[in-house]
Amino acid sequence: MTAVTAREPQTARFQEKRDAILNAAAAQFNAQGVKGATLAGIAASVGLVTNSVTYYYRKKEDLATACFLRAIVLFDGIAEAAAREATVEARVRAFLAGHAALLAAVALGEHPPVVAFSDVRALPSPQLETVHIAYTGMFRRVRGLFKDEATALWPREVRNARTHLLLSLVHWLPAWFGRYEAAQYPRMAARVADIVLHGLGAPAARWEAVALSDEAVLHGPTDNAAMDAFLRAATALLNEQGYRGASVDKISARLHVTKGSFYHHNDNKLDLISACFERTFEVIRRAFELAEDTGGSGWQRAGLAARMLVRFQRSAEGPLLRLSSTSALPEAADRARVHTTLQQRIERLAAMLVDGLVDGSVRPLDAALAAQLLVGAINGAAELHRWVPDASEASVVEFYLRPAFMGLLGEASAAA
């Protein structure tokens, strides 16, 4: 972990300038992605020239790595503080409260921006490996929050899946916490913790592990298999590398075709990326439509929609486009349009949960907040294989999605 570090600080002024560069870089990477941000732009945002930045970090990738490592240190510190609590429930509550406090401090300008982890895989080697090692260490520390007599019999894949679920929800918090005043963040964190720990269902609610309608086809029939292949390849690359990292060359190389073939099927990259968003939102719309057509309770409909989408993530047709990819779109109008569509989908899921509140299948809770958490869980399902390598379409539902509905501790004995 020494290959990408900055020069050793020599004076207080040196440290101050380096911190200013890291703060500016985190904001730029969040806004434009690792591939889209430039050293010149980062330098200009703090009144420096590019050479001043390269004195501290020779390459943009080194600077991005430093930002990710700094964020991991913050996560580690929050997990370490939470680990001092006596019970799993208290630790999870403390972990979520710690992240809410951090987000509030950032919103109030009392803490510098924290880089989001959504663009980590845009890093090249060896920087990617450096961050992965550090992230894995942090993941293990968070996994340790679940260590307890009541969870001692959880298989490793269950423990890993629930840790990934918790971290996926934490990574999603910055995307929607800004809807609230910073002073409300502690209250929101308490509500999040209650849902995360104890689930969504009323006492009589039962999890439907397998349903025939889960096999429904979420993508519409197509007469252009080549175009479908381009959409899947572009979606996967956009998830990994952001808008600017998903180049025409890389998309073509992933499909083992020429650039000429790319332009035979696509007018340009932006249109293809726009089609990727449209495909993802259409898949989500289709899942909601199929679930609503069943006529079941709000709990059943929300569960069915989520199961279909999580299984799609792990299917040959997946994954869905990572919803945090919206920030990397180059045009403000495109970002606004995609954001509006995303909010419409989230509101539709929230409406199912409201129906569940009315029919008694969902326990009293904040339906809008719960819908955001479910979207975060669905979004994170595409990455579960990194922590549970053998996760299949079916097992991802049991190991990962079930606790999102029943609660991380709602069925501890069932997990074992």
Side-chain angles (χ1 to χ4, degrees):
M1 294 177 60
T2 61
V4 292
T5 55
R7 296 175 185 269
E8 288 300 317
Q10 300 166 351
T11 65
R13 180 174 173 76
F14 182 103
Q15 182 74 46
E16 181 181 344
K17 187 175 289 188
R18 189 180 70 170
D19 287 345
I21 291 170
L22 286 169
N23 298 344
Q28 292 285 315
F29 291 140
N30 285 345
Q32 301 180 35
V34 169
K35 294 290 187 182
T38 65
L39 287 178
I42 293 168
S45 69
V46 287
L48 298 174
V49 297
T50 305
N51 286 346
S52 296
V53 175
T54 56
Y55 176 76
Y56 294 84
Y57 299 97
R58 294 183 179 88
K59 299 178 180 179
K60 180 180 68 173
E61 292 77 14
D62 293 343
L63 178 54
T65 298
C67 289
F68 287 125
L69 293 179
R70 190 167 69 158
I72 289 170
V73 168
L74 287 172
F75 274 55
D76 253 335
I78 294 171
E80 184 177 5
R84 300 188 189 109
E85 301 292 337
T87 66
V88 174
E89 177 163 346
R91 291 175 209 144
V92 171
R93 288 186 181 278
F95 185 66
L96 290 166
H99 280 282
L102 175 61
L103 291 175
V106 172
L108 293 170
E110 298 168 355
H111 191 284
V114 179
V115 72
F117 288 101
S118 55
D119 239 19
V120 165
R121 290 202 309 280
L123 290 173
S125 181
Q127 290 91 344
L128 177 59
E129 289 76 13
T130 296
V131 174
H132 177 70
I133 290 169
Y135 189 95
T136 300
M138 181 270 289
F139 183 94
R140 289 170 177 162
R141 188 182 292 276
V142 176
R143 187 176 62 195
L145 301 179
F146 291 102
K147 189 175 182 180
D148 189 81
E149 289 183 6
T151 63
L153 296 180
W154 283 8
R156 184 179 183 83
E157 59 267 26
V158 168
R159 196 180 302 274
N160 277 4
R162 295 189 181 209
T163 301
H164 177 60
L165 173 60
L166 178 59
L167 282 170
S168 294
L169 299 180
V170 165
H171 293 326
W172 185 243
L173 293 181
W176 61 275
F177 247 46
R179 296 173 51 191
Y180 303 95
E181 297 177 56
Q184 295 297 308
Y185 285 14
R187 179 176 296 179
M188 294 303 104
R191 291 183 180 181
V192 168
D194 178 64
I195 294 172
V196 167
L197 287 163
H198 303 298
L200 310 177
R206 295 292 179 268
W207 178 251
E208 297 179 23
V210 178
L212 186 61
S213 51
D214 287 6
E215 304 295 337
V217 177
L218 295 183
H219 57 95
T222 178
D223 56 1
N224 193 337
M227 189 60 197
D228 278 355
F230 275 108
L231 287 168
R232 290 194 299 271
T235 295
L237 270 169
L238 191 64
N239 285 348
E240 295 170 10
Q241 311 245 342
Y243 177 83
R244 290 167 180 83
S247 65
V248 171
D249 286 335
K250 289 182 179 179
I251 295 170
S252 301
R254 181 156 293 198
L255 293 174
H256 307 290
V257 299
T258 65
K259 287 178 66 174
S261 178
F262 177 95
Y263 287 112
H264 175 75
H265 294 280
N266 306 279
D267 290 335
N268 54 64
K269 187 182 83 168
L270 181 57
D271 286 351
L272 175 61
I273 299 305
S274 295
C276 288
F277 276 104
E278 292 171 5
R279 179 177 186 263
T280 285
F281 286 136
E282 175 59 22
V283 168
I284 295 172
R285 184 201 63 77
R286 176 67 173 157
F288 289 171
E289 185 178 72
L290 289 171
E292 289 166 347
D293 287 347
T294 64
S297 67
W299 161 266
Q300 290 170 326
R301 281 179 274 143
L304 175 57
R307 285 198 303 274
M308 287 190 286
L309 290 171
V310 164
R311 294 189 68 167
F312 184 88
Q313 292 275 43
R314 302 296 303 134
S315 74
E317 297 299 322
L320 296 167
L321 191 61
R322 194 180 64 230
L323 299 178
S324 55
S325 299
T326 56
S327 62
L329 286 171
E331 299 296 332
D334 291 328
R335 292 196 298 271
R337 175 177 53 80
V338 168
H339 180 75
T340 297
T341 306
L342 171 59
Q343 290 307 310
Q344 290 171 347
R345 298 295 186 269
I346 293 172
E347 291 296 333
R348 190 166 179 178
L349 180 56
M352 294 184 205
L353 296 177
V354 169
D355 288 343
L357 291 170
V358 174
D359 65 35
S361 61
V362 173
R363 69 186 180 92
L365 47 71
D366 186 325
L369 187 152
Q372 290 283 0
L373 293 176
L374 287 181
V375 168
I378 293 167
N379 200 43
E383 302 293 324
L384 180 63
H385 66 283
R386 299 184 181 278
W387 307 104
V388 186
D390 296 330
S392 63
E393 286 184 50
S395 66
V396 70
V397 170
E398 287 303 299
F399 287 146
Y400 178 81
L401 185 62
R402 183 172 185 155
F405 274 82
M406 303 302 292
L408 289 175
L409 301 181
E411 291 192 320
S413 59

